[in-house]
Every structure is written in structure tokens, then in C-alpha cells.
Amino acid sequence: MVRLEKGKFDDFIRSLAEDYIVYAAVTAGGKSSFKVVASAGEIDEGRLLTDRSPKEIFFPHSEVLFEYDGDGIRETKKAAKPIAVWGLRGCDVKSLAMLDKVFGTARQMPDNEMFEDPYWKRKYDNSLIFGLACNEPRSTCFCNWLGGGPHSEDASDIFVIDTGEAFLMQPVSDKGKAFIGKMTDAAGASAAGASVAKASGADEKKAAELASGARAMMAEPPALDGLDEKLKGIFHEDIWEEMSAKCVNCGACAFVCSTCHCFDVQDEGKGGKGKRIRIWDSCMFPIFTREASGHNPRHLSSDRFKQRVMHKYSYFVDNYGESLCTGCGRCVIVCPVGVDIREVIKRVLSFEGKGAR
Amino acid sequence: MKNVYRPIDAEILEVIDETPTIKTFVVEPKEDIGFATGQFMEVTVPGLGEAPFTPSSSPNVKEKIDFTIMSVGKVTEELHRMTKGQMVGVRGPMGKGYPLDAWKGKEILIVGGGVGAAPLRSLFLALVERLDDFKKILYCYGARTPADIVYKELILDKWQKINPKKIEIRTTVDEGDASWKGNVGVVTTVVKDLGIDISNSVGVVCGPPIMMKFGTFALVEHGYPDSAIHLSMEKNMSCGIGKCGHCMLGEYMVCQDGPVMTYDKVKDKPAIWD
């Protein structure tokens, strides 16, 4: 673990920006999101959770895949520098690792790179992720329901703890170890540009205190064991109409969700010229499944609500062994009609009905 | 790395009118793009977008591919306006097709309806081209009216004549007309007196949702085990590589786990006929 004084933070970000495209939490016009920064002054350092999820760094809302005209196809260029993300909360770090399972691997055709997503991989594969510990989780946070925690290092390259006066940096992955190694190495120090010191015993103690303090702020989570099976069992029950009664299918939950990854492939153009884009889509929208014939397998609002819940806590478990949710709570914050996914989960767990039809 | 989103150019060589709303486009891909029968491809209309179709030609013909397409949406309506010499894009093939090798020595029952005839034509041709491997093919096909029958071969006994001992074609229409001499009734009305050894047979069902449902139920009633019934679970596939979520059926991404799936895999999934 190394210690970076807050006074040196700007130097650190500036030097990082020489080798990386640096993304960090930025608040503008009252809304926060991860944006490219060149200096520490642009960063909303105390931000616990950005309004928009950081998935857009690697999977933008709208991404041009290629352009074409009568002479052929021009693919978009790969960025010259790798991406570094400063200050991702543990839930968001985990979200990216989940999205990497979807985009970066070929589940159905293992090791077949034909089915790995080139646009995701060229950004995520060589990225450097600085996870940032949450010292004061908020009331909508429920990462601890899903195996996470406010001081979880999982999937970070470098895990950072803000002690108030300094950032303590713990290398986690090989990539993170190499980076910290370079920073502390006498020859590499100038390349990294910022001076760090080895963390002291007092620093380590402070880190441990902050971690246990943050954990204590979160309520005891319910046991989610069997949620997957329970969901499958109640697929045909009326409970879905009750739980989704308020839902207006606006899709805001999916938009801010750090793990929702559904998209549509569309063309913008005219007369043989144009560009192919992929754009976020959501199972909340009726046209998501509507076929050209007009037939729609999920024509009811409750069908769509159910699909989102089933995908997150059942289908994704079948395919990837974990829930497609990290408990960031953005959907709870943003829902205009007050649907709280935690209440949905609790209702499902407590439901005692007929079971599967 | 290979960019799976990038289509390759294909020139329209010929456009064949099949029915008032269905045309077959014969295209010549400018790069190698093989496929197994039952797999699908995304066809691009430049400037407009792409949509998923299963080729209707034999997988053994590499230099050109047929797509039989009903005019029903934005992309297909524009396709129907296109003519010989124009370019489209194709990408794929995607998903899992029919497991022909596993069917060696078997009797094959095909139940199809409407534009479901398109993938079934590809399957039929692939079977015929290695007919020694199979004992029998019984192909039952239903269309709404005689004018809606997609391939003339289904009326003209042309396919049956390839080998009358091994091949039987039964065609039916929901509503006949003055000139129609054949069976009138939905396709399940000809799925009887099969003359097939069910224990050594596989079934294939492909067509509109309602036909898929009752076609499958008919096969189950005849005693086909669920694992021997092959369904084409077409959905509105978009990315084709199991990521965009449009074609989810339970935990399956139909574009990768299907589109050809056996009934045992999907029968307990939510709303499979919807």
C-alpha cells in the first residue's frame, strides 16, 4: 500500500493523463457522470455515486460501429491511449467486470473470438481501474446484499481509500501492481510524476477503521439464497401485476443501471451512405421485442417488468453464475414512481404461493 | 480481431416473386460466408438497417445464397423495392442450425407453415443432397391460400419426384380456391397417417407462432419425445452474438443458443409460443 498526499493529487492526475485517457467523476449542471479529465480540479472528489453509471465509458449510450458509402466500410479508429478510470466505487467496478463477461467473452461459443465484442475489448482490456472505497454508504446502497461491500477491492486494479488527508493505494491486480511498482521505483518515479510514500502502520490502521465503520453503517442484508429458483417458480403468478402496478415502463432504471447492457443496432443514413450505430435499449420498452409482423411476445407492462427482474436475478445467474446487479441503488434513486428493487426482491423472497404452474 | 458487426457486400443476382408478399433474393457474397442449414444471417439494406433471415438455399452452394423474405417491416419493404445488380450486406452466420449428422439413418418429419418454408427449403435441400444418410423425408406444409404457397415445388410434386420412395410432400391450405384440388385445412390436418417409425424419427417445426404451437403439440401426440422435436425459435435478433438482449427466451439468447432448439430445452421456458 502506498500513500499519496492530497496536495500531490493534481500532479498525479496530470501525469496519469500523459499515458492514459483519464476518466473521473465530474459534476456539471447539477448532474454527475464519468468524464475525461486532465487535472484534479475537474474531479468531484467527494461524490459517492455518479448519477449516470460509468458503463458509458466502455459502452457509450450511442456508439458508431462503422461508416459506409458507395466505396465500402470505414471502421472507427481505436484510441491511441488506454483508459484509466479514477474513483470507481466498488459496485461500479464490479459492474464493469460483469459487463466484461457479456461483451468480452463468448459464453455460447467459448474461445471463439468471433463472438467477443471488439468495441468493448479494445477499451476495457487494457484499462486501469482505480476503485475507491466508500466511507459513508448512502441509504439506497445495497451492495452488501450481493456479495459486495463498501471497501470491496474486487476487480479493481488499484484499490484506493480516501483518509481525508491522503489517498492510500493498494495494488490488487498484476496490472495494478506493475503500475504502483513503477510509481515507487526510483527510475519510474519521474515517469509517473507524482511522489508517493509507503503507507505507514498508522495508515493501515486508519484504512481498517474506515472499512469497519462503513460496513457498520449498512443494514444487515437479507439472505438471497434461492432467489433464482424462487423467481422461476413464481413466473406465472399474479404477484408480478401487483409488483409492477406502479411501473410506467419509462426505462429510467435501465438507463442509469450500471449493468443493464441491452442495445439495438441501427443505421442512420440515406441512399446507401450512412453509419451503423449501437444504442442503449431496454426491455422496459414495448418495441424491444415487437416483431416486424406486429407480434409482441412481451406486450404487457408486467411482462416487461418481470423480464428485467428475471434477467438480473435468475437468467444471468444461469449463464454467468451471479446476479446482474451490484446493489448500486441508482434505479432506486431515479425511479419516478418509487419502485424500489429491494422491496421487489423481499416480496419475491417472502411470497408463498402455488409455485410454478 | 475479427469484427463481427461488419457485414460483407453481396450483390443481388436475381429476384424471384414467390407470393404477392414474398420474394426470394439470390445474392452473391463478395467474400466467403459459409453456413450450416438453420443458421441465420443479418442482411443489411444500406442506409436503412439490418434484419435477421435464415437462408433458403442449400448450405452446399457457396457462391450464392437465397433469402426468401416477406415484406412486413421497414427493412423488408425496402428490400422488396430492390432489384438485380444492387448491393446488400450480409453478416453471420449466427447460431446453431439443424444437427444433420445426428440424424443419420433416421426418418425425418418436417412440419412447416407460411414463410417458415424458407429455412425448411434450405434444410430440405441439404437433406436431399445426402439422401443416402436418411431413411425417409415427410414434409407437411401449410399456407393460408394457394397464392400464399411459397415455393412452387411444393405444389408441383417436383421435390417428391427427386426420389418418390423416400420423399413425400403434403401441401395444404387454410382456404382453397376454384383451382385448388388439394387438402383444405391447417397443417396439422395432414400430420397424420405418418407411416413413420417414430422411435427412429426426428421432427422439425417451423412457421408462425400459432402453427409452431399446434405443430409441436401434434408431434408430441404422435409420440415424438421432446428431445426429438426441433423448433426454429425465431425472435427479433439484433446483434446476433448473444449480447443485445432482444431475443432472450428464459436464460437463452436465441441468436446463439438457437435458433434451432429442441422442445425439451424450451418447453418449460416462459411464454415460448408468444
Side-chain angles (χ1 to χ4, degrees):
Chain A
M1 191 182 273
V2 297
R3 178 184 166 103
L4 173 73
E5 298 301 330
K6 288 270 177 94
K8 302 279 188 189
F9 185 47
D10 188 50
D11 291 345
F12 173 77
I13 293 295
R14 285 176 191 275
S15 70
L16 189 64
E18 285 171 18
D19 298 327
Y20 293 89
I21 302 168
V22 181
Y23 281 84
V26 171
T27 298
K31 289 285 170 196
S32 55
S33 61
F34 276 80
K35 288 201 155 66
V36 177
V37 298
S39 64
E42 299 162 60
I43 302 174
D44 186 355
E45 215 191 283
R47 186 92 213 167
L48 184 67
L49 200 65
T50 48
D51 296 319
R52 290 176 67 118
S53 101
K55 71 182 173 189
E56 61 188 347
I57 299 169
F58 302 99
F59 171 48
H61 170 254
S62 169
E63 180 168 27
V64 176
L65 301 180
F66 53 80
E67 298 183 40
Y68 54 84
D69 54 28
D71 298 326
I73 290 173
R74 284 184 311 282
E75 289 188 37
T76 50
K77 296 258 186 309
K78 187 179 170 202
K81 290 185 202 173
I83 289 171
V85 189
W86 170 265
L88 273 179
R89 300 299 177 172
C91 51
D92 287 342
V93 175
K94 199 171 154 189
S95 301
L96 294 177
M98 280 178 188
L99 292 178
D100 189 49
K101 289 186 176 180
V102 176
F103 288 110
T105 67
R107 174 183 66 83
Q108 300 91 343
M109 314 255 172
D111 303 321
N112 187 338
E113 73 163 30
M114 170 87 181
F115 299 102
E116 296 170 358
D117 191 289
Y119 299 93
W120 169 272
K121 285 183 77 71
R122 71 189 188 185
K123 282 178 279 199
Y124 186 75
D125 279 2
N126 59 359
S127 67
L128 188 66
I129 306 290
F130 292 83
L132 180 59
C134 305
N135 294 333
E136 290 182 31
R138 59 203 275 183
S139 64
T140 49
C141 292
F142 63 110
C143 57
N144 60 343
W145 289 33
L146 293 137
H151 275 239
S152 169
E153 306 178 347
D154 289 353
S156 286
D157 290 312
I158 295 160
F159 181 62
V160 183
I161 299 165
D162 183 347
T163 63
E165 314 86 53
F167 291 114
L168 304 177
M169 295 196 228
Q170 173 70 42
V172 181
S173 70
D174 289 344
K175 239 189 294 180
K177 283 173 190 155
F179 181 86
I180 294 291
K182 227 169 97 182
M183 277 180 82
T184 48
D185 179 270
S190 59
S195 48
V196 290
K198 196 173 179 306
S200 66
D203 287 334
E204 308 245 354
K205 188 162 169 267
K206 176 81 178 165
E209 278 169 19
L210 286 167
S212 59
R215 273 194 292 272
M217 281 178 221
M218 299 186 81
E220 198 59 32
L224 300 194
D225 309 333
L227 177 61
D228 167 25
E229 285 307 310
K230 187 98 190 185
L231 281 165
K232 286 193 173 78
I234 64 167
F235 189 90
H236 295 286
E237 298 291 343
D238 295 342
I239 181 183
W240 293 102
E241 276 148 51
E242 168 205 317
M243 290 191 298
S244 67
K246 285 195 287 190
C247 176
V248 291
N249 283 160
C250 68
C253 51
F255 192 87
V256 297
C257 179
S258 59
T259 58
C260 270
H261 59 81
C262 288
F263 62 88
D264 195 23
V265 178
Q266 297 181 353
D267 281 30
E268 279 180 359
K270 210 177 180 183
K273 282 188 185 178
K275 53 190 175 187
R276 175 151 300 167
I277 57 172
R278 73 161 160 213
I279 187 160
W280 293 355
D281 203 346
S282 169
C283 58
M284 284 285 125
F285 304 141
I287 60 165
F288 186 69
T289 47
R290 195 170 70 199
E291 293 161 20
S293 63
H295 175 77
N296 191 348
R298 289 197 286 269
H299 64 285
L300 295 177
S301 168
S302 58
D303 289 341
R304 300 193 282 277
F305 181 93
K306 180 159 63 176
Q307 167 64 19
R308 186 159 186 277
V309 175
M310 293 295 296
H311 188 187
K312 291 211 167 287
Y313 304 103
S314 176
Y315 304 150
F316 201 81
V317 179
D318 291 331
N319 290 331
Y320 298 101
E322 61 184 335
S323 294
L324 186 63
C325 173
T326 62
C328 74
R330 285 187 179 87
C331 59
V332 180
I333 297 165
V334 81
C335 181
V337 294
V339 172
D340 186 332
I341 191 70
R342 294 170 299 184
E343 296 304 319
V344 173
I345 293 172
K346 283 186 194 162
R347 179 79 182 91
V348 169
L349 288 172
S350 67
F351 182 75
E352 291 183 11
K354 297 186 290 289
R357 199 178 282 170
Chain B
M1 88 184 278
K2 195 165 161 51
N3 187 346
V4 65
Y5 290 101
R6 185 187 175 132
I8 61 173
D9 287 337
E11 184 182 342
I12 299 176
L13 299 180
E14 197 186 346
V15 181
I16 303 160
D17 288 321
E18 302 284 0
T19 78
T21 56
I22 297 171
K23 291 180 181 181
T24 294
F25 298 83
V26 182
V27 307
E28 178 191 45
K30 300 297 181 190
E31 293 169 40
D32 241 12
I33 180 167
F35 68 95
T37 185
Q39 284 189 303
F40 73 97
M41 298 185 190
E42 290 280 348
V43 177
T44 293
V45 176
L48 195 64
E50 59 179 11
F53 303 100
T54 303
S56 53
S57 52
S58 163
N60 301 318
V61 178
K62 304 287 180 205
E63 59 283 1
K64 53 186 188 175
I65 303 173
D66 296 356
F67 292 98
T68 300
I69 294 170
M70 184 190 282
S71 174
V72 65
K74 184 181 72 161
V75 170
T76 53
E77 278 168 16
E78 183 57 29
L79 263 172
H80 271 236
R81 283 192 279 272
M82 293 180 82
T83 53
K84 186 180 166 177
Q86 286 188 280
M87 300 294 270
V88 294
V90 288
R91 68 181 179 97
M94 285 130 176
K96 297 183 173 71
Y98 295 103
L100 298 200
D101 290 336
W103 296 354
K104 271 189 187 171
K106 291 191 185 291
E107 303 180 27
I108 294 155
L109 170 63
I110 302 173
V111 180
V115 78
L120 295 178
R121 175 171 174 254
S122 173
L123 170 65
F124 181 79
L125 296 173
L127 292 170
V128 164
E129 281 159 19
R130 48 188 283 194
L131 197 52
D132 289 348
D133 282 349
F134 310 105
K135 284 181 85 171
K136 183 176 179 169
I137 303 171
L138 171 56
Y139 184 175
C140 303
Y141 173 74
R144 217 156 42 84
T145 72
D148 292 311
I149 293 171
V150 179
Y151 303 113
K152 302 245 174 345
E153 288 91 338
L154 284 163
I155 321 173
L156 300 179
D157 288 348
K158 198 175 145 193
W159 283 357
Q160 191 155 318
K161 284 185 186 123
I162 296 168
N163 186 334
K165 278 188 192 153
K166 281 189 157 185
I167 299 171
E168 185 185 348
I169 308 288
R170 297 178 186 175
T171 306
T172 180
V173 294
D174 298 351
E175 285 171 51
D177 59 19
S179 62
W180 180 253
K181 305 269 191 301
N183 188 78
V184 175
V186 295
V187 72
T188 46
T189 62
V190 294
V191 184
K192 60 184 181 189
D193 305 322
L194 301 177
I196 277 177
D197 171 12
I198 306 285
S199 67
N200 185 38
S201 175
V202 292
V204 175
V205 185
C206 181
I210 187 79
M211 191 238 100
M212 295 278 291
K213 178 175 177 176
F214 290 104
T216 302
F217 289 176
L219 264 57
V220 170
E221 261 174 51
H222 279 289
Y224 278 89
D226 296 341
S227 60
I229 303 173
H230 298 74
L231 309 176
S232 284
M233 303 304 296
E234 307 295 336
K235 298 274 162 195
N236 60 343
M237 286 82 91
S238 178
C239 75
I241 56 170
K243 315 209 184 296
C244 79
H246 281 82
C247 65
M248 270 194 110
L249 177 73
E251 76 271 28
Y252 298 125
M253 296 287 181
V254 170
C255 70
Q256 290 280 284
D257 296 303
V260 175
M261 303 176 88
T262 49
Y263 186 44
D264 58 322
K265 282 184 85 176
V266 297
K267 69 181 289 194
D268 295 326
K269 297 300 161 208
I272 59 168
W273 309 119
D274 288 343

